Amino acid sequence: MAEITYLEAIREALFEEMERDPNVFCLGEDIGVFGGAFKVTDGLRERFGLARVIDTPISESAIVGAAAGAAHMGMRPVAEMQFIDFVANAYDMLTNYVATSRYRTGLVCPMVVRGPSGGYVHGGPFHSQNPEAAFLHTPGLKVVAPATAEDAKGLLKAAIRDNDCVLYLEHKFLYRRIKGSMPAGDHVTPIGRARVARAGKDVTVISYGAMVWKALDAADQLEREDGLSTEVIDLRTLAPLDDEAIFISLKKTNRVVIAHEDTRTGGIAGEITARINESCFEWLDAPVLRVTAHDVPLASAPSLEEFILPQTADIVAAARRAARY
Amino acid sequence: MISVAGKRAAAGARRGSLASSAPTLTADQKLALYYWMRLTRSLEERLVALHRQNKLVGGVFRSLGQEADAVGSAFALEPGDVVSSLTRNLGSLLVKGATPAEVIRQHMGTADSPTGGRDLGLHFADIERGFIGHVSPLGNMVSVMAGVTLSFLMRGERRAGLVYVGDGATSTGAFHEGLNFAGVQRCPLVVIVENNGYAYSTPTRLQTAAARFVDKAVGYGVAGDRADGNDVLAVYDVTKRAVNRAREGGGVTLIELMTYRRRGHAEHDNQSYVPSGEVDRWAADNDPIDRYLRVLLDREKVDESAISAIDARVQAEVDEAAEQASHSAAPLGADALHGVHADPPAAAALWYR
């Protein structure tokens, strides 16, 4: 089967789900006639019409709120944030309304909020953010962040079919840089399950999104230069976290580095570290180390962005430190 | 200096007690409007009594003097329509089928209350009966109801939605985004601004520089209408027109209902910010139930015994509801872990807690 890009995999998932279920529809800014700022929804309008591919006003709060209302009535909306940075404008709607709705009143919100996240593209402070930590912290929301084209498709199909709201973080750096072969048939990646992206025995690197590829590069380098066998865990789902996959790998390697593109303080790496501390303290041969962005807004100049964001060399250095501790 | 609200009280009194005719309503329906307003007031009075006995969780938010807004507007809906009520719309929920017992249980936070003790007051919903309670961040429900009514459009259903905001909520971004979105999509949605003079302690003149909320309809390109919110028949009429417009593909209507909040934001609020005499004037001259009673007795020639029978029925229903709720138990603490998601069905507690 021919390979398709990460972006095409997202589009393929949207096409297949809209074909499968007439309740699925898309709404967002510039997604219909224009096909989206990154052309993710290109072609949807021609196939499904503007009634199911809705161009909205610039109103992230209303996009998410309207998606919730439609979801209450049995629809399966997929709301696009043109850049995931703008989900901040819908923070109240997502956290106070959508996340609490089922729990409080029994009103369900089977909906997806998706959008391009992440940096390494010189997008600057408002087109590069990684907002996952705030939503990981919100009971009632699920968060997924695919690293591969296969998971981009499989996780989006799972998110659309999930009976609750899923925040789907697609990494814009990966859109056209990676490809994958889609498994035949109805390809759904279960939410809540991490994968072993590379098996190893000396040190574990836990990551997600675009950082998984840097972790894999780091593993190659560590094997080549240090003879270290590095296991790479691709979380795939950030909420709920797959504790079991993390603990199994840790008990094999006894050394853990957590690498994410988001900033350090209050980031997901801290949460994973706490879980390891609570449940696997005696299995550790080294302190858990974090490789993250510095705690600053993401600057746009390439030299600044490169410094702020974690690079392969940072993962290599942390893994070496953990290995020799 | 006479306050804005005071001027409105005088205007209301000048209008007198003559309500509009609502010619489409039958005699039984006209009595039903009285029943729902009386039930709203009596049920709230019972909630206040229970509140003073420390039997409730959270506050009691009265709609005293505004009962006609909620009842008259919800009465204009059909069974398939969906209403999103606000803080002072107990009457809307009752009209749409919420029972007095579940309202009391909801305020008590019992295990068998509509939200099982997870949320307070009128924050509860039943999509089958067609009502969605509000949330505390004001204005949000305009967007949610835009989505509810968008689903009617997408499925080709001739259903309409009704959502309430107060004068205060019109200042939120959520109100703007939701109304604008619904206007563009021509959603079958009626947005009622209940202008009761105060948002908590803040008078309307500090909420907006606009003279009238109905004028905002022009800016959104939607139909606008305005009515005396203390005239239940006028409220019914104006809402019915808007609901019909929505059902016939005419899109959104923004309705401003002029009314007055005679109690504080909630029962703890002593209204120290209200000019002296203002509340009393509205109570004496412009009570929606008193005004409607005069219409029923003087113009509709309803027999006083029919009114007494409704009053007795309401009293019995409220007594019965309170009695039922008094036997309800509090939820078990550990139940709190259930129902955040469909899957997993329960949140995990930490292994050593």
Side-chain angles (χ1 to χ4, degrees):
Chain A
M1 184 170 286
E3 289 198 325
I4 60 174
T5 65
Y6 181 96
L7 183 145
E8 288 163 342
I10 296 169
R11 186 189 297 145
E12 197 165 282
L14 290 172
F15 261 95
E16 289 182 14
E17 290 305 292
M18 289 182 76
E19 291 279 8
R20 183 187 62 80
D21 182 353
N23 292 312
V24 178
F25 72 100
C26 296
L27 71 168
E29 297 153 16
D30 308 299
I31 68 164
V33 173
F34 189 62
F38 288 91
K39 300 293 179 189
V40 171
T41 54
D42 198 25
L44 287 184
R45 170 187 69 117
E46 287 78 1
R47 176 65 188 85
F48 300 104
L50 284 176
R52 286 179 72 192
V53 189
I54 300 173
D55 280 319
T56 69
I58 304 173
S59 300
E60 286 79 13
S61 170
I63 290 168
V64 171
H72 290 340
M73 305 309 291
M75 304 297 287
R76 296 256 167 185
V78 180
E80 176 175 309
M81 301 288 105
Q82 192 161 83
F83 285 82
I84 205 68
D85 312 56
F86 307 140
V87 77
N89 295 321
Y91 183 78
D92 168 52
M93 198 62 85
L94 268 172
T95 58
N96 276 321
Y97 190 77
V98 171
T100 66
S101 185
R102 172 190 291 278
Y103 186 75
R104 294 182 307 106
T105 69
L107 282 181
V108 298
C109 296
M111 54 187 272
V112 176
V113 177
R114 49 159 285 269
S117 69
Y120 301 104
V121 295
H122 323 315
F126 308 114
H127 293 76
S128 308
Q129 290 172 19
N130 296 280
E132 54 267 26
F135 299 103
L136 182 81
H137 186 66
T138 304
L141 298 178
K142 296 180 179 180
V143 183
V144 300
T148 65
E150 291 86 343
D151 285 345
K153 179 175 180 183
L155 280 172
L156 183 50
K157 287 169 76 90
I160 290 170
R161 297 179 194 189
D162 199 272
N163 288 318
D164 290 295
C165 178
V166 179
L167 188 57
Y168 178 95
L169 305 175
E170 53 203 56
H171 204 294
K172 67 175 79 70
F173 180 82
L174 301 177
Y175 270 157
R176 293 179 172 85
R177 283 185 175 84
I178 61 166
K179 288 186 171 185
S181 297
M182 297 303 115
D186 192 26
H187 167 53
V188 179
T189 306
I191 289 174
R193 301 250 280 280
R195 81 184 170 103
V196 178
R198 173 190 174 119
K201 60 182 176 49
D202 296 329
V203 61
T204 296
V205 178
I206 298 169
S207 192
Y208 56 91
M211 282 296 284
V212 170
W213 298 96
K214 297 205 185 305
L216 290 169
D217 288 346
D220 281 345
Q221 189 180 337
L222 288 162
E223 179 156 50
R224 205 168 52 238
E225 297 177 6
D226 303 66
L228 276 176
S229 167
T230 304
E231 179 146 304
V232 177
I233 301 292
D234 172 7
L235 289 172
R236 301 201 285 193
T237 297
L238 307 182
L241 276 169
D242 187 351
D243 289 349
E244 193 185 351
I246 294 168
F247 298 161
I248 286 172
S249 181
L250 180 157
K251 288 174 181 176
K252 186 162 66 164
T253 65
N254 313 109
R255 297 164 198 276
V256 176
V257 171
I258 306 165
H260 65 56
E261 188 183 321
D262 191 10
T263 47
R264 185 173 67 249
T265 302
I268 289 178
E271 173 61 28
I272 294 172
T273 306
R275 292 183 188 210
I276 291 171
N277 173 50
E278 286 156 354
S279 297
C280 303
F281 181 70
E282 63 274 27
W283 290 84
L284 287 172
D285 287 341
V288 178
L289 298 178
R290 292 180 288 177
V291 177
T292 71
H294 293 295
D295 282 339
V296 297
L298 192 49
S300 51
S303 56
L304 294 174
E305 185 188 49
E306 188 179 343
F307 177 83
I308 293 167
L309 290 180
Q311 306 295 338
T312 303
D314 299 312
I315 300 174
V316 168
R320 284 175 177 155
R321 182 180 291 274
R324 68 168 180 261
Y325 182 84
Chain B
M1 177 187 145
I2 185 166
S3 71
V4 172
K7 283 178 190 161
R8 292 191 312 164
R14 274 202 303 280
R15 278 196 300 274
S17 63
L18 274 183
S20 61
S21 59
T24 57
L25 289 174
T26 66
D28 281 351
Q29 286 175 314
K30 285 177 179 168
L31 281 179
L33 287 173
Y34 175 76
Y35 163 77
W36 293 119
M37 287 199 289
R38 178 59 71 192
L39 179 61
T40 303
R41 187 167 293 184
S42 295
L43 183 53
E44 285 185 0
E45 286 167 354
R46 183 60 56 97
L47 289 172
V48 170
L50 291 168
H51 180 58
R52 289 178 181 157
Q53 295 165 36
N54 263 333
K55 289 182 175 167
L56 303 188
V57 181
V60 175
F61 299 77
R62 293 294 307 273
S63 66
L64 180 66
Q66 297 181 229
E67 294 92 341
D69 297 13
V71 167
S73 52
F75 204 78
L77 299 176
E78 301 290 330
D81 297 338
V82 175
V83 66
S84 178
S85 55
L86 192 64
T87 319
R88 304 186 205 287
N89 299 124
L90 172 60
S92 315
L93 293 172
L94 295 171
V95 168
K96 284 298 271 179
T99 68
E102 66 185 342
V103 170
I104 295 174
R105 288 185 175 119
Q106 174 65 9
H107 281 80
M108 294 171 71
T110 62
D112 58 357
S113 75
T115 65
R118 287 162 179 213
D119 204 349
L120 295 165
L122 303 186
H123 296 200
F124 66 104
D126 183 351
I127 212 70
E128 294 302 316
R129 281 179 282 180
F131 60 82
I132 300 177
H134 67 293
V135 288
S136 301
L138 294 170
N140 282 14
M141 299 312 295
V142 181
S143 291
V144 173
M145 288 301 292
V148 166
T149 51
L150 183 66
S151 80
F152 300 160
L153 282 183
M154 296 180 81
R155 289 173 165 163
E157 299 170 337
R158 279 176 58 83
R159 302 165 71 181
L162 166 61
V163 61
Y164 303 89
V165 292
D167 38 277
T170 64
S171 305
T172 65
F175 167 80
H176 164 74
E177 287 199 13
L179 179 52
N180 185 59
F181 182 103
V184 169
Q185 293 296 329
R186 294 184 71 78
C187 291
L189 180 63
V190 180
V191 180
I192 288 183
V193 180
E194 282 182 280
N195 183 354
N196 66 9
Y198 293 93
Y200 210 137
S201 72
T202 304
T204 303
R205 68 184 161 76
L206 296 182
Q207 206 67 245
T208 178
R212 310 187 312 163
F213 288 105
V214 68
D215 293 339
K216 292 177 186 267
V218 177
Y220 292 102
V222 302
D225 216 334
R226 195 174 196 236
D228 176 356
N230 286 16
D231 175 345
V232 70
L233 295 178
V235 173
Y236 171 83
D237 276 347
V238 74
T239 312
K240 192 75 180 173
R241 278 198 299 276
V243 169
N244 288 343
R245 180 182 295 122
R247 226 187 288 288
E248 286 154 16
V252 176
T253 303
L254 179 72
I255 296 173
E256 179 178 11
L257 295 179
M258 303 302 295
T259 185
Y260 183 78
R261 195 190 76 196
R262 287 191 0 226
R263 298 287 296 172
H265 175 58
E267 284 301 290
H268 67 271
D269 170 4
N270 66 7
Q271 294 176 284
S272 57
Y273 46 84
V274 174
S276 144
E278 190 177 279
V279 172
D280 292 341
R281 271 199 307 281
W282 278 85
D285 301 340
N286 205 342
D287 179 81
I289 296 182
D290 289 349
R291 284 177 63 186
Y292 190 51
L293 258 180
R294 291 201 289 276
V295 171
L296 290 177
L297 296 172
D298 300 347
R299 196 179 76 196
E300 302 289 328
K301 306 300 179 195
V302 170
D303 198 87
E304 286 208 31
S305 65
I307 302 298
S308 310
I310 291 174
D311 291 348
R313 177 184 160 201
V314 164
Q315 192 59 47
E317 286 176 354
V318 172
D319 286 346
E320 169 68 13
E323 159 63 16
Q324 285 174 10
S326 71
H327 300 293
S328 295
L332 297 172
D335 285 349
L337 291 175
H338 292 271
V340 176
H341 297 291
D343 176 29
L350 195 53
W351 66 268
Y352 54 87
R353 188 199 157 189

